[in-house]
């Protein structure tokens, strides 16, 4: 089989298993020595029950804190969209990706959850499962608990050896639609992937700093975004004053007030976009960027669920390290060469 052919076949199999009648063009194929595969660790007999172990831990954490679904989505995006899905977002270091200003909202707790899962796997299957695969599995399992489909995760990623905050280049929440589409394309995703993955904003929170321009000074006019529904504007202004008080943290607001603390995976994001109730500027622009897809997802929840599974799988395959590239970290926060517990 030609290089990358196995992953193409795997994505086709995923599309068929989810009853999607076609496979979109521009599938990103990693330059691998060995392609990602289903049941990778079972086939190698290195950790046959890895998925059950990860799912059990994720379920324990999710039962305590349902917000981990949104946080794991963000963590997976932060990993895959910078240097590929290599677990580099998990590495500690003063100048590591996790310490980039754009990642200030991730919070330490979500990294501790990955640490716990890794600790369990190191007991069960020492030195076998990569941190990059753990992150992809954990995001899938948390998504399913919140209402998304339990899609197959192709495994075999290895962990990167570097992490650099300077690599973090996500577009701002106020970027134009053309800018965010160009960004997605540059990483290997198409516009449909972008519209679909933004649906993850049906849950989660954002800092007021990312929406103040829409509330008070849209495009330097000194006025709010005229397209935002007045009732939403009023509510958000109550939560986000023009300036954060000295000595206090910037407030957080729900990306989807309709879901609020429920953290349910629904298609209400698209319905709110249609009624001009998106919180982030980039989310509202989805309406004009691809109205037909927004309308379809707003009407047909199952279509959104199926397409989300395909798009997040595509993102999870971006620029992965496989074969002899990278390593299997023993601690997700350190490369093995820098791990203080390895002498």
């Amino acid at each position: 089989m030609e290089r990358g052919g196995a992953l193409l076949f795997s994505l086709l199999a995923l599309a068929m298993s989810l009853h999607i009648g076609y496979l979109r063009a521009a599938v990103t194929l990693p330059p691998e020595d060995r392609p990602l595969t289903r049941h990778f660790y079972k086939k190698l007999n290195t950790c046959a029950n890895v998925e059950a172990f990860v799912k059990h831990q994720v379920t324990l954490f999710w039962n305590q804190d349902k917000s981990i679904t949104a946080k794991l989505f963000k963590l997976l995006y932060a990993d895959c969209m910078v240097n590929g899905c290599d677990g580099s977002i998990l590495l500690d270091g003063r100048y590591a990706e996790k310490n980039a200003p754009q990642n200030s909202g991730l919070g330490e707790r979500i990294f501790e959850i990955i640490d716990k899962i890794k600790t369990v796997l190191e007991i069960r299957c020492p030195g076998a499962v990569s941190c990059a695969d753990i992150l992809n599995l954990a995001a899938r399992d948390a998504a399913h608990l919140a209402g998304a489909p339990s899609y197959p995760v192709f495994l075999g990623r290895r962990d990167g050896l570097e992490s650099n905050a300077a690599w973090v280049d996500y577009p701002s929440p106020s970027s134009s639609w053309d800018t965010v589409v160009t960004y997605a394309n540059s990483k290997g995703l198409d516009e449909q992937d972008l519209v679909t993955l933004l649906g993850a904003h049906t849950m989660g929170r954002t800092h007021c700093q990312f929406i103040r321009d829409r509330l008070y000074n849209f495009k330097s006019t000194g006025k709010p975004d005229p397209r935002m529904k007045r009732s939403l504007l009023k509510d958000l202004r109550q939560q986000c004053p023009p300036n954060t008080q000295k000595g206090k943290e910037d407030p957080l607001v729900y990306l989807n007030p309709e879901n609020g603390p429920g953290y349910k995976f629904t298609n209400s994001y698209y319905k709110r976009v249609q009624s001009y109730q998106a919180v982030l500027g980039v989310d509202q622009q989805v309406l004009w960027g691809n109205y037909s897809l927004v309308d379809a997802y707003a009407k047909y929840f199952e279509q959104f669920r199926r397409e989300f599974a395909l798009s997040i799988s595509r993102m999870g395959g971006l620029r992965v390290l496989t074969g002899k590239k990278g390593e299997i970290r023993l601690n997700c926060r350190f490369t093995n060469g820098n791990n203080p517990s390895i002498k």
Side-chain angles (χ1 to χ4, degrees):
M1 183 175 288
E2 295 180 357
R3 173 182 283 189
L7 181 57
L8 176 60
F9 177 79
S10 298
L11 284 170
L12 178 59
L14 171 60
M16 293 175 66
S17 71
L18 294 169
H19 308 292
I20 297 172
Y22 60 92
L23 183 67
R24 298 199 300 275
V27 171
T28 301
L29 303 176
E32 70 274 35
D33 297 322
R34 181 188 301 159
L36 300 180
T37 60
R38 189 81 174 102
H39 304 303
F40 175 82
Y41 299 100
K42 186 174 184 178
K43 291 176 181 178
L44 292 182
N45 197 31
T46 55
C47 197
N49 295 315
V50 58
E51 297 199 34
F53 295 149
V54 173
K55 182 178 181 180
H56 177 68
Q57 292 300 316
V58 170
T59 301
L60 292 177
F61 284 113
W62 189 85
N63 285 336
Q64 297 174 355
D65 178 8
K66 306 231 174 351
S67 73
I68 70 166
T69 301
K71 293 172 183 176
L72 283 167
F73 280 157
K74 171 61 176 175
L75 194 61
L76 184 63
Y77 172 87
D79 190 38
C80 295
M81 297 298 283
V82 173
N83 198 42
C85 303
D86 64 351
S88 57
I89 186 64
L90 305 173
L91 287 171
D92 279 350
R94 182 177 179 183
Y95 301 108
E97 292 167 37
K98 64 168 60 172
N99 289 323
Q102 301 94 317
N103 289 327
S104 61
L106 288 174
E108 179 62 19
R109 180 57 176 163
I110 199 64
F111 294 102
E112 293 174 352
I113 290 174
I114 298 297
D115 290 341
K116 174 60 177 178
I117 297 172
K118 178 63 171 175
T119 298
V120 170
L121 290 177
E122 284 302 307
I123 295 171
R124 301 282 189 170
C125 318
V129 183
S130 70
C131 299
D133 275 347
I134 290 171
L135 176 53
N136 275 266
L137 287 170
R140 185 274 308 273
D141 293 336
H144 181 52
L145 288 167
S150 183
Y151 52 88
V153 174
F154 303 110
L155 302 171
R157 299 168 187 79
R158 288 170 66 85
D159 298 319
L161 302 173
E162 298 178 280
S163 183
N164 191 332
W167 294 340
V168 178
D169 60 349
Y170 331 127
S172 80
S174 298
S175 297
S176 69
W177 184 247
D178 286 344
T179 296
V180 293
V181 171
T182 298
Y183 176 79
N185 291 164
S186 74
K187 302 297 182 178
L189 299 177
D190 60 27
E191 184 178 76
Q192 184 164 347
D193 290 318
L194 176 61
V195 175
T196 305
L197 292 172
L198 281 172
H201 288 173
T202 195
M203 62 181 78
R205 297 189 294 175
T206 188
H207 282 281
C208 288
Q209 63 174 306
F210 297 118
I211 62 171
R212 279 197 176 90
D213 59 334
R214 296 195 72 204
L215 303 182
Y216 299 102
N217 191 26
F218 184 66
K219 294 185 176 181
S220 301
T221 61
K223 299 178 181 180
D225 185 342
R227 296 168 295 187
M228 182 182 287
K229 191 170 182 178
R230 297 298 97 180
S231 58
L232 176 64
L233 175 63
K234 180 180 179 181
D235 290 343
L236 291 176
R237 278 184 160 183
Q238 289 177 346
Q239 298 175 69
C240 297
N243 299 292
T244 301
Q245 294 182 13
K246 188 175 181 179
K248 293 189 176 181
E249 293 187 1
D250 190 40
L252 286 163
V253 297
Y254 287 106
L255 289 170
N256 184 350
E258 184 175 326
N259 262 349
Y263 288 95
K264 285 292 185 181
F265 185 88
T266 72
N267 61 341
S268 60
Y269 165 87
Y270 298 100
K271 296 176 182 179
R272 292 184 66 86
V273 166
Q274 286 183 317
S275 59
Y276 300 93
Q277 295 186 79
V279 173
L280 292 176
V282 67
D283 288 338
Q284 191 56 65
Q285 291 187 65
V286 176
L287 182 63
W288 302 286
N290 197 318
Y291 178 83
S292 61
L293 195 56
V294 169
D295 189 54
Y297 288 168
K299 290 178 179 176
Y300 307 111
F301 179 43
E302 285 306 311
Q303 179 181 348
F304 168 53
R305 292 178 81 248
R306 294 193 300 266
E307 291 288 351
F308 186 85
L310 181 56
S311 288
I312 200 169
S313 295
R314 283 161 56 92
M315 185 175 74
L318 295 177
R319 298 177 62 188
V320 297
L321 302 175
T322 60
K324 297 180 179 180
K325 299 175 183 177
E327 65 180 9
I328 303 298
R329 285 185 219 137
L330 300 184
N331 183 322
C332 293
R333 292 176 181 265
F334 304 98
T335 61
N336 292 337
N338 292 321
N339 190 334
S341 66
I342 300 177
K343 298 180 180 179

